[in-house]
Coordinates of all heavy atoms in Angstrom, one line a residue:
M1 N -35.9 42.7 -53.7 CA -37.0 43.2 -52.9 C -38.1 43.7 -53.7 O -37.9 44.6 -54.6 CB -36.4 44.2 -51.9 CG -37.5 45.1 -51.3 SD -37.4 45.4 -49.6 CE -38.8 46.4 -49.3
K2 N -39.3 43.3 -53.4 CA -40.5 43.7 -54.2 C -41.0 45.0 -53.7 O -40.9 45.3 -52.5 CB -41.6 42.7 -54.0 CG -41.5 41.4 -54.8 CD -42.7 40.6 -54.6 CE -42.6 39.3 -55.5 NZ -43.9 38.5 -55.4
T3 N -41.4 45.9 -54.6 CA -42.1 47.1 -54.2 C -43.5 47.1 -54.7 O -43.8 46.6 -55.8 CB -41.4 48.3 -54.7 OG1 -41.0 48.1 -56.1 CG2 -40.1 48.6 -53.9
Y4 N -44.4 47.6 -54.0 CA -45.8 47.6 -54.3 C -46.3 49.1 -54.6 O -45.9 50.0 -53.9 CB -46.7 47.1 -53.1 CG -46.5 45.6 -52.9 CD1 -45.3 45.2 -52.3 CD2 -47.4 44.7 -53.3 CE1 -45.1 43.8 -52.1 CE2 -47.2 43.3 -53.1 CZ -46.0 42.9 -52.5 OH -45.8 41.5 -52.3
Y5 N -47.0 49.2 -55.7 CA -47.4 50.5 -56.1 C -49.0 50.5 -56.2 O -49.6 49.6 -56.6 CB -46.9 50.8 -57.5 CG -45.4 51.2 -57.5 CD1 -44.4 50.2 -57.6 CD2 -45.0 52.5 -57.2 CE1 -43.1 50.5 -57.6 CE2 -43.7 52.8 -57.2 CZ -42.7 51.8 -57.4 OH -41.4 52.1 -57.3
L6 N -49.5 51.7 -56.0 CA -50.9 52.0 -56.2 C -51.0 53.0 -57.3 O -50.3 54.1 -57.3 CB -51.5 52.5 -55.0 CG -53.0 53.1 -55.1 CD1 -54.0 52.0 -55.5 CD2 -53.4 53.8 -53.9
H7 N -51.7 52.7 -58.4 CA -51.9 53.6 -59.5 C -53.4 54.1 -59.4 O -54.3 53.4 -59.2 CB -51.8 52.9 -60.8 CG -50.4 52.5 -61.1 ND1 -49.5 53.2 -61.8 CD2 -49.7 51.3 -60.7 CE1 -48.3 52.5 -61.9 NE2 -48.4 51.4 -61.2
L8 N -53.5 55.4 -59.7 CA -54.9 56.0 -59.7 C -55.1 56.7 -61.0 O -54.2 57.4 -61.6 CB -55.1 56.9 -58.6 CG -55.2 56.3 -57.2 CD1 -55.4 57.4 -56.1 CD2 -56.4 55.4 -57.1
R9 N -56.3 56.5 -61.6 CA -56.7 57.3 -62.8 C -58.0 57.9 -62.6 O -58.9 57.3 -61.8 CB -56.8 56.3 -64.0 CG -55.4 55.9 -64.6 CD -55.7 55.1 -65.8 NE -56.3 53.8 -65.5 CZ -57.2 53.2 -66.3 NH1 -57.5 53.7 -67.5 NH2 -57.7 52.0 -65.9
A10 N -58.3 58.9 -63.3 CA -59.6 59.5 -63.2 C -60.0 60.0 -64.7 O -59.2 60.4 -65.5 CB -59.6 60.8 -62.3
F11 N -61.3 59.8 -65.0 CA -61.8 60.2 -66.3 C -63.3 60.7 -66.1 O -63.9 60.3 -65.1 CB -61.7 59.1 -67.3 CG -62.2 57.8 -66.9 CD1 -63.5 57.5 -67.0 CD2 -61.3 56.8 -66.4 CE1 -64.0 56.2 -66.6 CE2 -61.7 55.6 -66.0 CZ -63.1 55.3 -66.1
P12 N -63.8 61.4 -67.0 CA -65.2 61.9 -66.9 C -66.2 60.8 -67.0 O -66.1 59.9 -67.8 CB -65.3 63.0 -68.0 CG -64.2 62.8 -68.9 CD -63.2 62.0 -68.2
C13 N -67.3 60.9 -66.1 CA -68.4 60.0 -66.1 C -69.2 60.2 -67.4 O -69.5 61.4 -67.8 CB -69.2 60.3 -64.9 SG -70.7 59.3 -64.8
D14 N -69.7 59.1 -68.0 CA -70.6 59.2 -69.1 C -71.9 59.9 -68.8 O -72.6 60.5 -69.7 CB -70.9 57.8 -69.7 CG -69.8 57.3 -70.7 OD1 -68.9 58.2 -71.0 OD2 -69.9 56.2 -71.0
L15 N -72.4 59.7 -67.6 CA -73.7 60.2 -67.2 C -73.7 61.6 -66.8 O -74.6 62.4 -67.1 CB -74.3 59.3 -66.1 CG -74.5 57.8 -66.5 CD1 -75.1 57.1 -65.3 CD2 -75.3 57.6 -67.7
C16 N -72.7 62.0 -65.9 CA -72.8 63.3 -65.3 C -71.5 64.2 -65.5 O -71.4 65.3 -65.0 CB -73.1 63.2 -63.8 SG -71.8 62.6 -62.8
Q17 N -70.5 63.6 -66.2 CA -69.2 64.2 -66.4 C -68.4 64.4 -65.1 O -67.4 65.1 -65.0 CB -69.4 65.6 -67.1 CG -70.1 65.5 -68.4 CD -69.3 64.7 -69.4 OE1 -68.2 64.9 -69.7 NE2 -70.0 63.7 -69.9
G18 N -68.9 63.8 -64.0 CA -68.2 63.9 -62.7 C -66.9 63.0 -62.8 O -66.7 62.2 -63.8
P19 N -66.1 63.1 -61.8 CA -64.9 62.3 -61.8 C -65.1 60.8 -61.5 O -65.6 60.5 -60.4 CB -64.0 63.0 -60.8 CG -65.0 63.6 -59.8 CD -66.2 63.9 -60.6
V20 N -64.8 59.9 -62.5 CA -64.8 58.5 -62.2 C -63.4 58.2 -61.8 O -62.4 58.5 -62.5 CB -65.2 57.7 -63.4 CG1 -65.1 56.2 -63.1 CG2 -66.6 58.0 -63.9
V21 N -63.2 57.5 -60.6 CA -61.9 57.2 -60.2 C -61.7 55.7 -60.2 O -62.6 54.9 -59.8 CB -61.7 57.7 -58.7 CG1 -60.4 57.2 -58.1 CG2 -61.8 59.2 -58.7
T22 N -60.6 55.3 -60.8 CA -60.3 53.9 -60.9 C -58.8 53.7 -60.4 O -58.0 54.6 -60.5 CB -60.5 53.3 -62.3 OG1 -60.2 51.9 -62.3 CG2 -59.7 54.0 -63.3
G23 N -58.5 52.5 -60.0 CA -57.2 52.3 -59.5 C -56.7 50.9 -59.8 O -57.5 50.0 -60.2
S24 N -55.4 50.7 -59.7 CA -54.9 49.3 -59.8 C -53.6 49.2 -58.9 O -53.0 50.3 -58.6 CB -54.5 49.0 -61.3 OG -53.6 50.0 -61.7
T25 N -53.4 48.0 -58.5 CA -52.1 47.8 -57.7 C -51.2 47.0 -58.6 O -51.6 46.2 -59.4 CB -52.4 47.1 -56.4 OG1 -53.1 45.9 -56.7 CG2 -53.3 47.9 -55.5
A26 N -49.9 47.2 -58.4 CA -48.9 46.5 -59.2 C -47.7 46.2 -58.3 O -47.4 46.9 -57.3 CB -48.5 47.4 -60.4
V27 N -47.0 45.2 -58.7 CA -45.8 44.8 -58.0 C -44.6 45.0 -58.9 O -44.6 44.6 -60.1 CB -45.9 43.3 -57.6 CG1 -44.6 42.9 -56.8 CG2 -47.1 43.1 -56.7
R28 N -43.5 45.5 -58.4 CA -42.3 45.7 -59.2 C -41.2 44.9 -58.5 O -40.9 45.2 -57.3 CB -41.9 47.1 -59.4 CG -40.9 47.4 -60.5 CD -40.6 48.8 -60.6 NE -41.8 49.5 -61.3 CZ -41.7 50.8 -61.7 NH1 -40.6 51.5 -61.5 NH2 -42.7 51.3 -62.3
E29 N -40.6 43.9 -59.2 CA -39.6 43.1 -58.5 C -38.3 43.9 -58.3 O -37.7 43.8 -57.2 CB -39.2 41.9 -59.4 CG -40.4 41.0 -59.7 CD -40.7 40.1 -58.6 OE1 -39.9 40.0 -57.6 OE2 -41.8 39.5 -58.6
R30 N -37.8 44.6 -59.3 CA -36.7 45.5 -59.1 C -37.0 46.8 -59.9 O -37.9 46.8 -60.7 CB -35.4 44.9 -59.6 CG -34.8 43.9 -58.6 CD -33.5 43.3 -59.2 NE -33.5 41.9 -59.2 CZ -33.6 41.1 -60.2 NH1 -33.7 41.6 -61.4 NH2 -33.7 39.8 -60.1
D31 N -36.2 47.8 -59.6 CA -36.5 49.1 -60.2 C -36.5 49.0 -61.8 O -37.3 49.7 -62.4 CB -35.4 50.1 -59.8 CG -35.8 50.7 -58.5 OD1 -36.9 50.4 -58.0 OD2 -35.0 51.5 -57.9
I32 N -35.6 48.2 -62.3 CA -35.5 48.2 -63.8 C -36.6 47.4 -64.4 O -36.9 47.5 -65.6 CB -34.1 47.7 -64.2 CG1 -33.8 46.4 -63.5 CG2 -33.1 48.7 -64.0 CD1 -32.7 45.6 -64.2
E33 N -37.2 46.5 -63.7 CA -38.2 45.6 -64.3 C -39.6 46.2 -64.4 O -39.9 47.1 -63.6 CB -38.3 44.3 -63.5 CG -37.1 43.4 -63.7 CD -37.2 42.1 -62.9 OE1 -38.3 41.7 -62.5 OE2 -36.1 41.6 -62.6
K34 N -40.3 45.8 -65.4 CA -41.6 46.3 -65.5 C -42.6 45.7 -64.4 O -42.3 44.6 -63.9 CB -42.2 46.2 -66.9 CG -42.6 44.9 -67.3 CD -43.0 45.0 -68.8 CE -43.4 43.6 -69.4 NZ -44.7 43.2 -69.0
E35 N -43.7 46.3 -64.2 CA -44.6 45.9 -63.2 C -45.3 44.6 -63.5 O -45.7 44.4 -64.7 CB -45.6 47.0 -62.8 CG -44.8 48.2 -62.2 CD -45.7 49.4 -62.0 OE1 -46.7 49.5 -62.8 OE2 -45.4 50.2 -61.1
T36 N -45.5 43.8 -62.5 CA -46.2 42.6 -62.7 C -47.3 42.5 -61.7 O -47.5 43.4 -60.8 CB -45.3 41.3 -62.5 OG1 -44.7 41.5 -61.2 CG2 -44.2 41.3 -63.5
E37 N -48.1 41.5 -61.8 CA -49.2 41.2 -60.9 C -50.1 42.4 -60.7 O -50.5 42.9 -59.7 CB -48.7 40.9 -59.5 CG -47.9 39.6 -59.5 CD -47.3 39.3 -58.1 OE1 -48.0 39.6 -57.1 OE2 -46.2 38.9 -58.0
I38 N -50.5 43.0 -61.9 CA -51.3 44.2 -61.9 C -52.8 43.8 -61.6 O -53.3 42.9 -62.3 CB -51.2 45.0 -63.2 CG1 -49.8 45.5 -63.4 CG2 -52.3 46.1 -63.3 CD1 -49.5 46.0 -64.8
T39 N -53.4 44.4 -60.6 CA -54.7 44.1 -60.2 C -55.6 45.3 -60.4 O -55.3 46.3 -59.7 CB -54.8 43.6 -58.8 OG1 -53.8 42.6 -58.6 CG2 -56.1 43.0 -58.4
E40 N -56.6 45.2 -61.3 CA -57.5 46.4 -61.4 C -58.5 46.3 -60.3 O -59.0 45.3 -60.0 CB -58.2 46.3 -62.8 CG -57.3 46.5 -64.0 CD -56.9 48.0 -64.2 OE1 -57.6 48.8 -63.7 OE2 -55.8 48.2 -64.8
V41 N -58.9 47.5 -59.8 CA -59.9 47.5 -58.8 C -61.1 48.3 -59.4 O -60.9 49.0 -60.4 CB -59.5 48.1 -57.5 CG1 -58.4 47.2 -56.8 CG2 -58.9 49.5 -57.6
G42 N -62.2 48.2 -58.8 CA -63.4 48.8 -59.4 C -63.4 50.3 -59.6 O -62.8 51.0 -58.8
A43 N -64.1 50.8 -60.6 CA -64.2 52.2 -60.8 C -65.5 52.7 -60.4 O -66.5 52.0 -60.6 CB -63.9 52.5 -62.3
I44 N -65.6 53.9 -59.9 CA -66.9 54.5 -59.5 C -66.9 56.0 -59.7 O -65.8 56.6 -59.4 CB -67.3 54.0 -58.1 CG1 -68.7 54.4 -57.8 CG2 -66.4 54.7 -57.1 CD1 -69.3 53.6 -56.6
C45 N -68.0 56.5 -60.1 CA -68.1 58.0 -60.3 C -68.3 58.6 -58.9 O -69.2 58.1 -58.1 CB -69.3 58.3 -61.2 SG -69.6 60.1 -61.2
L46 N -67.5 59.6 -58.5 CA -67.6 60.2 -57.2 C -68.9 61.1 -57.1 O -69.3 61.4 -56.0 CB -66.4 61.0 -56.8 CG -65.1 60.2 -56.8 CD1 -63.9 61.1 -56.4 CD2 -65.2 59.0 -55.8
S47 N -69.4 61.5 -58.2 CA -70.6 62.3 -58.1 C -71.9 61.5 -58.1 O -72.8 61.8 -57.3 CB -70.6 63.2 -59.4 OG -69.5 64.1 -59.3
C48 N -72.1 60.6 -59.0 CA -73.4 59.9 -59.1 C -73.3 58.4 -58.8 O -74.4 57.8 -58.7 CB -74.0 60.1 -60.5 SG -73.2 59.2 -61.8
G49 N -72.1 57.9 -58.6 CA -72.1 56.5 -58.2 C -72.1 55.5 -59.4 O -72.1 54.3 -59.2
H50 N -72.1 56.0 -60.6 CA -72.1 55.2 -61.8 C -70.8 54.4 -61.9 O -69.7 54.9 -61.7 CB -72.3 56.1 -63.0 CG -72.2 55.3 -64.3 ND1 -73.0 54.2 -64.6 CD2 -71.5 55.5 -65.4 CE1 -72.8 53.8 -65.8 NE2 -71.8 54.5 -66.3
R51 N -70.9 53.1 -62.1 CA -69.7 52.2 -62.2 C -69.3 52.1 -63.7 O -69.9 51.3 -64.4 CB -70.0 50.9 -61.6 CG -70.2 51.0 -60.1 CD -70.2 49.6 -59.5 NE -70.1 49.7 -58.0 CZ -68.9 49.7 -57.4 NH1 -67.8 49.7 -58.1 NH2 -68.9 49.8 -56.1
Q52 N -68.3 52.9 -64.0 CA -67.9 52.9 -65.4 C -66.4 52.5 -65.4 O -65.6 53.1 -64.8 CB -68.0 54.3 -65.9 CG -67.7 54.5 -67.4 CD -67.8 55.9 -67.8 OE1 -68.6 56.7 -67.3 NE2 -67.0 56.3 -68.8
S53 N -66.1 51.4 -66.1 CA -64.8 50.8 -65.9 C -63.8 51.4 -66.9 O -62.6 51.4 -66.6 CB -64.8 49.3 -66.2 OG -65.4 49.0 -67.4
E54 N -64.3 51.9 -68.0 CA -63.3 52.5 -69.0 C -63.7 53.9 -69.4 O -64.9 54.2 -69.5 CB -63.2 51.6 -70.2 CG -62.5 50.3 -70.0 CD -61.0 50.5 -69.6 OE1 -60.4 51.5 -70.1 OE2 -60.5 49.7 -68.8
A55 N -62.8 54.7 -69.7 CA -63.1 56.1 -70.2 C -63.6 55.9 -71.7 O -63.0 55.2 -72.5 CB -61.8 56.9 -70.2
T56 N -64.6 56.6 -72.0 CA -65.2 56.6 -73.4 C -64.7 57.8 -74.2 O -64.7 57.8 -75.4 CB -66.7 56.5 -73.4 OG1 -67.2 57.5 -72.5 CG2 -67.2 55.2 -72.9
A57 N -64.4 58.9 -73.5 CA -63.9 60.1 -74.2 C -62.3 60.0 -74.3 O -61.7 60.0 -73.2 CB -64.3 61.3 -73.4
P58 N -61.8 59.9 -75.5 CA -60.3 59.7 -75.6 C -59.6 60.9 -75.2 O -60.1 62.1 -75.4 CB -60.1 59.4 -77.1 CG -61.4 59.9 -77.8 CD -62.5 59.8 -76.8
G59 N -58.4 60.7 -74.6 CA -57.6 61.8 -74.2 C -58.0 62.6 -73.0 O -57.4 63.6 -72.7
R60 N -59.0 62.1 -72.3 CA -59.4 62.8 -71.1 C -59.1 62.1 -69.8 O -59.6 62.5 -68.8 CB -60.9 63.2 -71.2 CG -61.2 64.1 -72.4 CD -62.6 64.6 -72.3 NE -62.8 65.4 -71.1 CZ -64.1 65.8 -70.7 NH1 -65.1 65.5 -71.5 NH2 -64.2 66.5 -69.6
T61 N -58.4 61.0 -69.9 CA -58.0 60.3 -68.7 C -56.8 61.0 -68.0 O -55.8 61.3 -68.7 CB -57.6 58.8 -69.1 OG1 -58.8 58.2 -69.7 CG2 -57.3 58.1 -67.8
R62 N -56.9 61.2 -66.8 CA -55.8 61.8 -66.0 C -55.1 60.6 -65.2 O -55.8 59.9 -64.5 CB -56.3 62.8 -65.0 CG -57.2 63.9 -65.6 CD -56.3 65.1 -66.0 NE -57.2 66.2 -66.4 CZ -57.7 67.1 -65.5 NH1 -57.4 67.0 -64.3 NH2 -58.4 68.1 -66.0
D63 N -53.8 60.5 -65.4 CA -53.1 59.5 -64.7 C -52.3 60.2 -63.5 O -51.6 61.2 -63.8 CB -52.1 58.8 -65.6 CG -52.7 57.7 -66.4 OD1 -53.0 56.7 -65.9 OD2 -53.0 58.0 -67.6
F64 N -52.5 59.7 -62.3 CA -51.8 60.2 -61.2 C -50.5 59.4 -61.0 O -50.4 58.3 -61.4 CB -52.7 60.1 -60.0 CG -53.9 61.0 -60.0 CD1 -55.1 60.5 -60.5 CD2 -53.8 62.3 -59.7 CE1 -56.2 61.3 -60.6 CE2 -54.9 63.2 -59.8 CZ -56.1 62.7 -60.3
P65 N -49.5 60.1 -60.5 CA -48.2 59.4 -60.3 C -48.4 58.2 -59.3 O -49.1 58.3 -58.3 CB -47.3 60.4 -59.7 CG -47.9 61.7 -59.9 CD -49.4 61.5 -60.0
P66 N -47.8 57.0 -59.7 CA -47.9 55.9 -58.8 C -47.3 56.2 -57.4 O -46.3 56.9 -57.3 CB -47.2 54.8 -59.5 CG -46.4 55.4 -60.5 CD -47.0 56.8 -60.8
V67 N -47.9 55.7 -56.4 CA -47.4 55.8 -55.0 C -47.0 54.5 -54.5 O -47.7 53.5 -54.7 CB -48.3 56.6 -54.1 CG1 -48.5 58.0 -54.5 CG2 -49.7 55.9 -54.1
L68 N -46.0 54.5 -53.7 CA -45.6 53.2 -53.0 C -46.7 52.9 -52.0 O -47.3 53.8 -51.3 CB -44.3 53.4 -52.2 CG -43.0 53.4 -53.0 CD1 -41.8 53.8 -52.2 CD2 -42.8 52.0 -53.6
W69 N -47.0 51.6 -51.9 CA -48.1 51.2 -51.0 C -47.6 49.9 -50.3 O -47.0 49.1 -50.8 CB -49.3 50.9 -51.8 CG -50.6 50.9 -51.0 CD1 -51.2 49.9 -50.4 CD2 -51.3 52.1 -50.6 NE1 -52.3 50.4 -49.7 CE2 -52.3 51.7 -49.8 CE3 -51.1 53.5 -50.9 CZ2 -53.3 52.7 -49.3 CZ3 -52.0 54.4 -50.4 CH2 -53.1 54.0 -49.6
E70 N -48.0 49.8 -49.0 CA -47.6 48.6 -48.2 C -48.3 47.4 -48.9 O -49.4 47.5 -49.3 CB -48.1 48.7 -46.8 CG -47.4 49.8 -46.0 CD -46.0 49.3 -45.6 OE1 -45.8 48.1 -45.2 OE2 -45.0 50.0 -45.9
P71 N -47.6 46.3 -48.9 CA -48.2 45.1 -49.5 C -49.4 44.7 -48.8 O -49.5 44.7 -47.5 CB -47.1 44.0 -49.5 CG -46.1 44.5 -48.5 CD -46.2 46.0 -48.5
P72 N -50.5 44.2 -49.5 CA -51.7 43.7 -48.8 C -51.4 42.5 -47.9 O -50.5 41.7 -48.3 CB -52.6 43.3 -49.9 CG -52.0 43.7 -51.2 CD -50.6 44.1 -50.9
K73 N -52.0 42.4 -46.8 CA -51.8 41.3 -45.9 C -52.6 40.1 -46.4 O -53.9 40.1 -46.2 CB -52.2 41.6 -44.5 CG -51.3 42.6 -43.9 CD -51.6 42.8 -42.4 CE -50.7 43.8 -41.7 NZ -50.8 45.1 -42.2
A74 N -51.9 39.1 -47.0 CA -52.6 38.0 -47.6 C -53.2 37.0 -46.5 O -54.1 36.3 -46.7 CB -51.7 37.2 -48.5
S75 N -52.6 37.1 -45.3 CA -52.9 36.2 -44.2 C -54.3 36.6 -43.6 O -54.8 35.7 -42.9 CB -51.8 36.1 -43.2 OG -51.6 37.4 -42.7
T76 N -54.7 37.8 -43.8 CA -55.9 38.2 -43.1 C -57.1 37.5 -43.8 O -57.3 37.6 -45.0 CB -56.1 39.7 -43.3 OG1 -54.9 40.4 -42.8 CG2 -57.3 40.2 -42.5
P77 N -57.9 36.8 -43.0 CA -59.1 36.1 -43.7 C -60.1 37.2 -44.1 O -60.4 38.2 -43.3 CB -59.6 35.2 -42.5 CG -59.1 35.8 -41.3 CD -57.8 36.5 -41.6
P78 N -60.8 37.0 -45.2 CA -61.8 37.9 -45.6 C -63.0 37.9 -44.7 O -63.4 36.8 -44.2 CB -62.2 37.5 -47.0 CG -61.8 36.0 -47.1 CD -60.6 35.9 -46.1
V79 N -63.6 39.1 -44.5 CA -64.8 39.1 -43.6 C -66.0 38.8 -44.4 O -66.6 39.7 -45.0 CB -64.9 40.5 -42.9 CG1 -66.0 40.5 -41.9 CG2 -63.5 40.9 -42.3
M80 N -66.3 37.5 -44.5 CA -67.4 37.1 -45.4 C -68.7 37.7 -45.1 O -69.4 38.1 -46.0 CB -67.5 35.5 -45.4 CG -66.3 34.8 -46.0 SD -65.9 35.5 -47.7 CE -67.3 34.8 -48.6
G81 N -69.1 37.7 -43.8 CA -70.4 38.2 -43.5 C -70.7 39.6 -44.0 O -71.7 39.9 -44.6
H82 N -69.7 40.4 -43.8 CA -69.8 41.8 -44.1 C -69.9 42.0 -45.6 O -70.8 42.7 -46.2 CB -68.6 42.6 -43.6 CG -68.6 44.0 -44.0 ND1 -69.4 45.0 -43.3 CD2 -68.0 44.7 -44.9 CE1 -69.2 46.1 -43.9 NE2 -68.4 46.0 -44.8
T83 N -69.0 41.3 -46.4 CA -69.0 41.3 -47.8 C -70.3 40.9 -48.4 O -70.9 41.5 -49.3 CB -67.9 40.5 -48.4 OG1 -66.7 40.9 -47.7 CG2 -67.7 40.8 -49.9
A84 N -70.8 39.7 -47.9 CA -72.0 39.2 -48.4 C -73.2 40.1 -48.2 O -74.1 40.3 -49.1 CB -72.3 37.8 -47.7
S85 N -73.3 40.7 -47.0 CA -74.4 41.6 -46.7 C -74.4 42.9 -47.6 O -75.4 43.4 -48.1 CB -74.5 41.9 -45.2 OG -73.4 42.7 -44.9
A86 N -73.1 43.3 -47.8 CA -73.0 44.5 -48.7 C -73.4 44.2 -50.1 O -74.0 45.0 -50.8 CB -71.5 45.0 -48.7
Y87 N -73.1 42.9 -50.5 CA -73.5 42.5 -51.9 C -75.0 42.4 -52.0 O -75.6 42.8 -53.0 CB -72.8 41.1 -52.2 CG -73.1 40.6 -53.5 CD1 -72.6 41.3 -54.7 CD2 -73.8 39.4 -53.7 CE1 -72.9 40.8 -55.9 CE2 -74.0 38.9 -55.0 CZ -73.5 39.6 -56.1 OH -73.8 39.1 -57.3
R88 N -75.7 41.8 -51.0 CA -77.1 41.7 -51.0 C -77.8 43.1 -51.0 O -78.7 43.3 -51.7 CB -77.6 40.9 -49.8 CG -77.8 39.4 -50.0 CD -78.7 38.8 -48.9 NE -78.2 39.0 -47.6 CZ -77.2 38.3 -47.0 NH1 -76.7 37.3 -47.6 NH2 -76.8 38.6 -45.8
E89 N -77.2 44.0 -50.2 CA -77.7 45.3 -50.2 C -77.7 46.0 -51.6 O -78.6 46.6 -52.0 CB -76.8 46.2 -49.3 CG -77.5 47.2 -48.4 CD -76.6 47.7 -47.4 OE1 -75.9 48.7 -47.7 OE2 -76.6 47.2 -46.3
M90 N -76.6 45.7 -52.3 CA -76.4 46.3 -53.7 C -77.4 45.7 -54.6 O -78.0 46.4 -55.4 CB -75.0 45.9 -54.1 CG -74.6 46.6 -55.4 SD -72.9 46.1 -55.9 CE -73.4 44.6 -56.7
L91 N -77.7 44.4 -54.5 CA -78.7 43.7 -55.3 C -80.1 44.3 -55.1 O -80.8 44.6 -56.0 CB -78.7 42.2 -55.1 CG -77.5 41.5 -55.6 CD1 -77.6 40.0 -55.3 CD2 -77.3 41.6 -57.1
N92 N -80.4 44.5 -53.8 CA -81.7 45.0 -53.4 C -81.9 46.4 -54.0 O -83.0 46.7 -54.5 CB -81.9 45.1 -51.9 CG -82.0 43.7 -51.3 OD1 -82.4 42.7 -52.0 ND2 -81.8 43.6 -50.0
R93 N -80.8 47.2 -54.0 CA -80.9 48.6 -54.4 C -81.2 48.6 -55.9 O -81.9 49.4 -56.5 CB -79.6 49.3 -54.1 CG -79.8 50.8 -53.9 CD -78.5 51.4 -53.4 NE -78.0 50.9 -52.2 CZ -76.7 50.9 -51.8 NH1 -75.8 51.3 -52.7 NH2 -76.3 50.4 -50.7
E94 N -80.6 47.6 -56.7 CA -80.7 47.6 -58.1 C -82.1 47.2 -58.5 O -82.7 47.6 -59.5 CB -79.7 46.7 -58.7 CG -78.4 47.4 -58.8 CD -77.3 46.6 -59.6 OE1 -77.6 45.5 -60.0 OE2 -76.2 47.2 -59.7
E95 N -82.8 46.3 -57.6 CA -84.2 45.9 -57.9 C -85.1 47.1 -57.8 O -86.2 47.1 -58.5 CB -84.6 44.8 -56.9 CG -84.1 43.5 -57.4 CD -84.3 42.4 -56.3 OE1 -85.0 42.7 -55.3 OE2 -83.6 41.4 -56.4
L96 N -84.8 48.1 -57.1 CA -85.7 49.2 -56.9 C -85.8 50.1 -58.1 O -86.8 50.7 -58.4 CB -85.2 50.1 -55.7 CG -85.3 49.4 -54.3 CD1 -84.7 50.4 -53.3 CD2 -86.8 49.1 -54.0
H97 N -84.8 50.0 -59.0 CA -84.8 50.9 -60.2 C -85.7 50.3 -61.3 O -85.8 49.1 -61.5 CB -83.4 51.1 -60.7 CG -82.6 51.9 -59.8 ND1 -82.8 53.2 -59.6 CD2 -81.5 51.6 -59.0 CE1 -82.0 53.7 -58.7 NE2 -81.2 52.7 -58.3
Ligands
LIG101 ZN1 -71.4 60.3 -62.7

């Protein structure tokens, strides 16, 4: 039986030292086996919104204990319209800078 885990990490933001939170999901086939199918998800600073994927200050990453998570529903079709409009919104915002 497969178990699904969610891992969370936090490290200081390069711009504002606020908490950048990043996560990954992983699958473990059995308790003794190491995790497979690790999927990294996007990192974002909770203070300023800076998207920083890796910690640049060594030794300052906090790892939170993995938690069991329900497996994602693969059969659910992605909501394309919503994703696309959110993406366009993001692009428009970047043009303003
Ligand atoms: Zn920040």
Side-chain angles (χ1 to χ4, degrees):
M1 161 137 182
K2 284 184 178 183
T3 45
Y4 291 77
Y5 286 91
L6 169 69
H7 294 264
L8 289 177
R9 280 185 298 148
F11 50 83
C13 173
D14 274 353
L15 301 182
C16 74
Q17 302 300 305
V20 178
V21 174
T22 181
S24 58
T25 55
V27 180
R28 196 176 289 188
E29 299 284 347
R30 278 183 234 109
D31 277 354
I32 49 161
E33 285 178 26
K34 70 183 179 80
E35 289 172 337
T36 56
E37 297 176 40
I38 296 168
T39 310
E40 293 283 337
V41 296
I44 192 162
C45 173
L46 297 183
S47 294
C48 73
H50 178 54
R51 291 191 168 273
Q52 185 182 329
S53 57
E54 287 300 325
T56 51
R60 295 190 62 192
T61 301
R62 307 267 187 90
D63 281 284
F64 294 92
V67 290
L68 282 170
W69 203 263
E70 289 289 310
K73 290 187 177 69
S75 58
T76 307
V79 187
M80 289 308 290
H82 179 77
T83 309
S85 67
Y87 183 64
R88 265 199 305 276
E89 217 170 85
M90 192 184 79
L91 290 178
N92 288 342
R93 211 175 298 152
E94 282 186 358
E95 277 168 17
L96 294 176
H97 289 293

